[in-house]
Amino acid sequence: MRTQEATENCNSNLRHDWSLNEVKELLEKPLMDLLWMAQTVHRTNNPGYHVQLASLLSVKTGGCEEDCSYCPQSIHNSSDLSGQPNLEVNSVLRQAKAAKEAGADRFCMGWAWREVRDGKQFEEMLTMVKGVKGLGMEACVTAGMVTQNQAKRLAKAGLTAYNHNLDTSPEKYGEIITTRTYQERLETLERVRAAGINVCCGGIIGMGESISDRASLLQVLASLEPHPESVPINSLVAVEGTPLEDMSAIDPLEMIRMVATARILMPKSKIRLSAGREQLGREAQILCLQAGANSIFYGDKLLTTGNPDVDTDRELLAQAGVNIRIDYEE
Ligand code: SAM
Ligand code: DTB
Ligand code: SF4
């Protein structure tokens, strides 16, 4: 079973066989040529510069058993934020309604879990998904690994997309996370796809990876068939108490290159300009939009860290001359 977007992403003109060298050559192209190519692909495949606004909410914060070295919510990191109560259904739906009233089209809910477990909290997740859809918004969940049966139940509740990032290259993965494998990540993505849920899968730059690592991550994403409907590109938010706290900020041009290359490889996917926008500056964000980013996280907070405030973002979009996109369909 495939969603309409998934079927479109199977069009024969979309490639899934990019070689590592081809991707690396794109990432390293003279910037003007890369921007020209990305814009051409973007304008052809997604006419009109429409940007979807997605709001995020952390339903279960901190206390996660995984040891992701970028994440403030891991119990292995002194930044761990456990001790906060899980949000209740009514509170989540109130916040989703407020996000919709502020202009968001998609509502993404996060659980700091290694994997989804059956029981009361999963039943509540299903109720939240139904509630968000009932408000007339796309619903996205990110909660770690899922079984086939859980994915089916999420699909039945109306879930639009499941976010499960590959984060970095298969080669670098073991330096960033040791408590799970790349293969386990890919298997969850397959189960999400098999259940007929859209796949949201991307990564993070700024974790000390090489250009080859970035190319390798993008190659894996573009080899998925169909391409993920949504590809979040994050830059590391270096949080105190995590092993990556001392990483220096990336050059904003690196983000522009990553977005542009993702757009060329996956012409019809939503490329989401995700964490790290506060460090990017207005002009770099506008270049990302021009290079093919067509969604941003919207609202003062990501999961646990800050994000530009909504007025600043509305002004940014107006200055860039892009339109707000509504994708929600009954
Ligand atoms: N536990 C679930 C999982 O890992 O899939 C869901 C929540 S997790 C916080 C969602 C994603 O946020 C991660 O896959 C990672 O890509 C991103 N993320 C987490 N911490 C980040 C940070 N400090 N900077 C940038 N992105 C981050
Ligand atoms: C994604 O790729 N980025 C978002 C969303 N998917 C879930 C999360 C970013 C989290 C940044 C760190 C934090 O706020 O905790
Ligand atoms: Fe953070 Fe998700 Fe890793 Fe848990 S699995 S430590 S919530 S990124």
Side-chain angles (χ1 to χ4, degrees), residues 157-226:
L159 187 69
T160 311
Y162 195 84
N163 166 255
H164 202 65
N165 289 341
L166 287 169
D167 286 329
T168 190
S169 66
E171 299 76 22
K172 192 171 171 73
Y173 205 67
E175 285 173 42
I176 302 291
I177 300 151
T178 68
T179 48
R180 60 168 185 253
T181 63
Y182 217 72
Q183 188 53 34
E184 284 175 310
R185 260 348 230 186
L186 290 168
E187 284 166 13
T188 287
L189 293 171
E190 275 171 26
R191 291 193 277 267
V192 167
R193 177 62 78 205
I197 301 170
N198 281 342
V199 169
C200 173
C201 182
I204 309 177
I205 62 168
M207 301 194 294
E209 71 286 344
S210 64
I211 302 296
S212 293
D213 287 317
R214 290 180 194 167
S216 178
L217 165 67
L218 288 172
Q219 187 201 22
V220 174
L221 292 173
S223 73
L224 298 175
E225 214 163 335

Side-chain angles (χ1 to χ4, degrees), residues 142-321:
T142 183
M145 297 183 247
V146 288
T147 63
Q148 194 59 66
N149 192 43
Q150 288 163 345
K152 275 192 199 147
R153 292 194 64 200
L154 282 164
K156 201 160 163 245
L159 187 69
T160 311
Y162 195 84
N163 166 255
H164 202 65
N165 289 341
L166 287 169
D167 286 329
T168 190
S169 66
E171 299 76 22
K172 192 171 171 73
Y173 205 67
E175 285 173 42
I176 302 291
I177 300 151
T178 68
T179 48
R180 60 168 185 253
T181 63
Y182 217 72
Q183 188 53 34
E184 284 175 310
R185 260 348 230 186
L186 290 168
E187 284 166 13
T188 287
L189 293 171
E190 275 171 26
R191 291 193 277 267
V192 167
R193 177 62 78 205
I197 301 170
N198 281 342
V199 169
C200 173
C201 182
I204 309 177
I205 62 168
M207 301 194 294
E209 71 286 344
S210 64
I211 302 296
S212 293
D213 287 317
R214 290 180 194 167
S216 178
L217 165 67
L218 288 172
Q219 187 201 22
V220 174
L221 292 173
S223 73
L224 298 175
E225 214 163 335
H227 290 154
E229 287 68 31
S230 161
V231 181
I233 308 287
N234 298 274
S235 71
L236 177 73
V237 180
V239 180
E240 215 182 307
T242 63
L244 298 180
E245 64 181 0
D246 291 328
M247 277 288 157
S248 44
I250 49 135
D251 178 340
L253 296 182
E254 303 285 299
M255 194 63 171
I256 297 165
R257 285 184 177 281
M258 196 68 187
V259 166
T261 306
R263 169 52 68 218
I264 295 165
L265 300 179
M266 293 166 279
K268 292 199 179 287
S269 302
K270 279 241 164 53
I271 307 294
R272 293 183 197 276
L273 184 56
S274 303
R277 281 200 299 119
E278 280 191 317
Q279 285 78 48
L280 269 191
R282 185 181 63 156
E283 293 80 1
Q285 290 185 69
I286 289 177
L287 279 172
C288 287
L289 296 173
Q290 193 174 32
N294 54 354
S295 176
I296 57 170
F297 282 118
Y298 176 70
D300 306 354
K301 211 165 166 203
L302 292 166
L303 289 173
T304 66
T305 65
N307 196 41
D309 62 56
V310 298
D311 293 337
T312 308
D313 275 344
R314 288 205 161 256
E315 204 179 319
L316 171 85
L317 298 178
Q319 285 169 336

